[in-house]
Structure formats: C-alpha cells, structure tokens
Amino acid sequence: MIYRMLKEDVYSVGVIDWDRRIFDELIQIPNGTSYNSYIIKGNNKTALIDTVDPTKTDELLDNLKKLNVDIDYLVVNHAEQDHSGTIPDILKIYKNAIVVTNSKCKELLSEFLPIPDEKFKIVSDGETLDLGGKELEFIITPWVHWPDTMVTYLHDVKILFSCDFFGSHRASSDLFACEDIYMAAKRYYAEIMMPFRAIIRKNLEKLKNLEIDIIAPSHGPLYKNPAFIMDAYKDWTSDNTKNEVIIPYISMHGSTQRMVDYLVNSLVERGVSVKPMNLTYTDMGEVALNLVDATTMVIASPTVLTGPHPSVVYATYLANALRPKLKLVSVMGSYGWGGRMLDQIRGMIDSLNVEIITPLIIKGFPKEEDYKKLDEMADEITSKHKILGIIK
Ligand code: FEO
C-alpha cells in the first residue's frame, strides 16, 4: 500500500498483507492483516515508528524511498518480529539511524537480530524526544502483550502509536476504522491480550489522561474516535461477564450432540444465552472470541481411547492458557467402555479460577434419566448466574 498522510508531516508507510491467513502458525486470521509503520518529520529530525514483517521489507523500503526521507530515529515499540524484523535492513540503508527503545525491548532485540549495541538509545517511562517542533513521549506499557511493550505519544498532533495495543487483524485499504471493526478487534484481543487482562487494565489507566485524537496501532485500521476502542478494552478487561454459556464440543457418533442440543434448549428456556461450538467447524480464534464475555463453559466430548477427543483437548488447553474471566465450568460427554475423560479435563484447567458445576458423563446414548440430569445442570447454571447478578 502506498504511503498516506495522517496529519501534516505524519505518514502511514506500512504494508497490508492481504493473503495472510495464519499468524504465529497458530492464530487464524480470516481477513488478513497489516503491519503499520509511521514516519514523523520534525524540523530537525525524522523518526520511523516500528517496521514491518520481514516478508514485506521491500514494500516498506519502497514507501520510504518514495517519501524521500532520511531516518534519524527508528522507534521500536515492541520486539516481536512482525514489527522488528526489518530493522537490520533499515539500518543498512539509513546508516545514521538510531534505534530508540526501552531496556527490555533492547534486551530482546539483541537476542533476535544483529543490531550492534552502539546503535541503541534506551528510553525510560515518560522520557521525551524532540524532533524539532514535534515531541515524542515514550510510555512503557508492559505485557501488552510481551514484557517489552511500550507506546509512543506524539504531542502537538495527539497521536498515540500503540503497536499491538488496540490492534486488529484486518487487511483494508481504508486507513481509519468504522464501527464494524469491533469483532475483529475483540477477536485480536482474545487471541493475544486476554491472558494479561489485569495488567492491561492498569496500562489503560496509565493512558487515560492523555489527550488522544488518533490511535495508530501497528495492525489493522486506525481510530479517529479513540473512545470507541478504549471503552471496548475497558469492558473486555473488566471483571464483568455476561449471561452466556459456551459449549465447545465434538460428537463422534451422536451421543454428545444430543446432550449438547438438549442442554442448549434447556438453558434457552431458562433465559440463558448459549453458544455451542462444534470444534470440527469452529476455528480456535472463534473459541477465543467467545471466551471474552462468557460466564460459563461446558466442555463436551466423546471418549477417544481413554480420554477426551483431541480437538476438545486443544480447545480446553487454549481456554486454560488464555485465562478468560469465566466463573463456572462443567464437563459432559459419553463413553462406550470406560475411560478417564473427566479427570483428564479437570487436570487441564488449573489456571482457571472457576467453580465446577456438577458434570455428566454417560454410557452410550442419553436416556430419560440423563436428560433430567441435563435439566438439573441447566438449573444449577441458571441459579449461579442469578447469584452472580447477570440474569436481570
Ligand atoms: Fe504484532 Fe506482538 O506483534
């Protein structure tokens, strides 16, 4: 994508990756992504904010060439390679450029990339850098989503360069976000930010007194209405959950499917929102997305050999690793001749601070008494949701 002007002397010079469909060989990104990078021209000095994924180096270099700038400072908000991977190429061409970053980020960059120590300028929290008529302020925001993360605030024109913070995986030729970005931003939050919810809340507090006209993240479109995405983050990182049950499940021969279908109806009759997710057709990003607000997760699986189905193992592992604000968990499923599915699933959710709802593991197809037990499970969930005050 060609460079574009955000404000006078401030340019977007990053790259759109229309075709990328998986990130870190882990996260599915159905709408592609972008690696945003920015040029700020002061009266005396010019700064480049972050670089791009190494697969897109040529496009960034081409934009810089067309813009006809020299680079004095290369500000690195975060060491992960999708933003830092092009640094060595930049330093080869712009020989006077100095890498400006915090000490933790420098430590990581020095491990990942061949950057000589003398090329670094280390900044601390709140430190400023004068470009001549334009001043950058560096604000350390650790664990959004690595220990090195910081954001850079451009005084005067009030732009916050937030790197991964407030980002989204969306390839779009539109520079600025519309409200339809909400779900993409939420999915992105779920996939990489959610495990650090508590510290992200503190970092949001740290930014609350800044006057911000534009949030310019390093993935996805920019925000002309910063309150839109900041309020969304406040909601997602709060302790509040919604009157929602999610059911990640697999059914091999129909027994678990019958249990899921019955429980869904039983919960709906009791006024609870339910999201069944057949893991054969649901990507893990969607599972993560649905974990952001849910109060309850019911894991449902048939027995494969002696344990849960591998797709259920993956979803359970993911839920445990992402540490959502779930309050209640239960397990249900069926077996043919035995197994230890329940114990194995229980052993996989040790990072979740949840109450366990009475599980239900049955032999074969569900029978009359099993359906009664599913109604009891629905009663138990509904009554806990009432106690939590999320059913009005
Ligand atoms: Fe977009 Fe943490 O890198």
Side-chain angles (χ1 to χ4, degrees):
M1 180 60 58
I2 184 105
Y3 71 81
R4 286 165 290 175
M5 191 163 82
L6 287 186
K7 295 262 183 180
E8 196 179 349
D9 292 328
V10 182
Y11 298 88
S12 165
V13 291
V15 173
I16 296 177
D17 199 338
W18 299 97
D19 295 333
R20 191 161 182 178
R21 288 294 176 269
I22 191 146
F23 214 88
D24 297 340
E25 304 305 314
L26 175 68
I27 297 164
Q28 279 146 317
I29 49 171
N31 300 308
T33 191
S34 66
Y35 318 107
N36 304 341
S37 184
Y38 304 94
I39 278 284
I40 303 161
K41 285 162 79 170
N43 295 331
N44 308 322
K45 302 282 184 187
T46 295
L48 174 66
I49 311 275
D50 293 321
T51 70
V52 301
D53 191 88
T55 56
K56 298 289 182 187
T57 301
D58 289 348
E59 283 186 57
L60 172 64
L61 293 178
D62 198 41
N63 273 343
L64 294 173
K65 196 170 162 191
K66 283 181 183 146
L67 199 49
N68 194 23
V69 285
D70 200 3
I71 295 170
D72 301 288
Y73 299 117
L74 170 45
V75 175
V76 180
N77 283 317
H78 174 32
E80 196 166 6
Q81 289 85 342
D82 53 320
H83 309 293
S84 69
T86 301
I87 295 174
D89 300 275
I90 295 285
L91 296 181
K92 253 184 237 159
I93 295 168
Y94 300 92
K95 295 196 185 304
N96 295 323
I98 293 292
V99 176
V100 179
T101 193
N102 63 78
S103 56
K104 187 68 196 175
C105 191
K106 189 256 176 194
E107 182 189 319
L108 295 175
L109 287 173
S110 299
E111 297 291 343
F112 299 155
L113 297 164
I115 307 173
D117 271 4
E118 61 272 19
K119 292 300 279 181
F120 283 99
K121 173 181 170 58
I122 304 301
V123 292
S124 50
D125 192 29
E127 198 169 326
T128 57
L129 184 65
D130 185 14
L131 304 179
K134 288 201 167 47
E135 185 182 63
L136 299 178
E137 180 178 343
F138 308 103
I139 302 165
I140 310 287
T141 50
W143 293 109
V144 188
H145 63 128
W146 275 19
D148 61 314
T149 43
M150 70 177 195
V151 298
T152 299
Y153 179 64
L154 175 56
H155 284 268
D156 321 303
V157 285
K158 301 173 188 163
I159 302 177
L160 184 74
F161 299 97
S162 59
C163 201
D164 280 343
F165 208 177
F166 309 122
S168 59
H169 286 308
R170 157 100 43 108
S172 169
S173 62
D174 295 335
L175 197 51
F176 290 99
C178 308
E179 291 196 354
D180 70 353
I181 198 65
Y182 182 87
M183 292 308 274
K186 187 174 181 181
R187 182 176 167 124
Y188 175 93
Y189 163 84
E191 289 165 337
I192 71 165
M193 299 290 178
M194 190 154 62
F196 312 106
R197 192 166 62 85
I199 194 159
I200 290 173
R201 223 160 38 202
K202 285 187 193 155
N203 283 317
L204 282 170
E205 274 293 301
K206 208 167 170 178
L207 302 180
K208 80 172 183 201
N209 292 327
L210 287 181
E211 272 185 54
I212 303 171
D213 282 350
I214 294 175
I215 290 182
S218 290
H219 294 293
L222 289 67
Y223 293 90
K224 266 187 188 160
N225 173 13
F228 173 79
I229 190 67
M230 293 178 96
D231 287 348
Y233 263 70
K234 270 182 215 152
D235 179 33
W236 300 334
T237 58
S238 75
D239 289 330
N240 304 331
T241 57
K242 298 197 165 66
N243 180 27
E244 289 175 10
V245 174
I246 59 167
I247 311 178
Y249 77 96
I250 286 283
S251 183
M252 289 163 69
H253 302 295
S255 300
T256 307
Q257 183 70 59
R258 287 176 193 214
M259 295 173 83
V260 169
D261 292 345
Y262 191 90
L263 183 65
V264 166
N265 286 334
S266 196
L267 285 165
V268 168
E269 277 172 3
R270 288 160 177 76
V272 179
S273 296
V274 196
K275 177 82 179 173
M277 293 179 285
N278 185 331
L279 297 171
T280 301
Y281 312 110
T282 309
D283 77 55
M284 286 299 154
E286 203 177 327
V287 174
L289 171 66
N290 285 300
L291 281 164
V292 174
D293 297 323
T295 298
T296 301
M297 174 169 68
V298 179
I299 301 162
S301 179
T303 305
V304 178
L305 301 174
T306 60
H309 188 284
S311 298
V312 173
V313 170
Y314 184 19
T316 306
Y317 175 87
L318 186 78
N320 191 57
L322 292 176
R323 285 179 281 153
K325 44 190 172 180
L326 286 170
K327 315 279 190 219
L328 309 165
V329 166
S330 190
V331 180
M332 67 182 189
S334 78
Y335 64 93
W337 56 86
R340 293 174 39 247
M341 174 169 69
L342 187 56
D343 292 341
Q344 290 183 17
I345 290 177
R346 275 189 169 146
M348 291 170 57
I349 54 170
D350 56 344
S351 291
L352 297 180
N353 185 19
V354 290
E355 191 179 333
I356 301 293
I357 297 285
T358 311
L360 179 61
I361 307 296
I362 64 167
K363 190 168 167 70
F365 267 18
K367 328 235 167 5
E368 214 37 56
E369 65 270 23
D370 300 319
Y371 290 124
K372 278 192 193 134
K373 284 182 184 154
L374 286 171
D375 280 332
E376 286 165 19
M377 183 186 280
D379 281 337
E380 196 178 343
I381 290 169
T382 310
S383 121
K384 301 277 183 194
H385 281 208
K386 281 184 180 153
I387 291 166
L388 288 164
I390 53 174
I391 297 184
K392 307 293 176 206

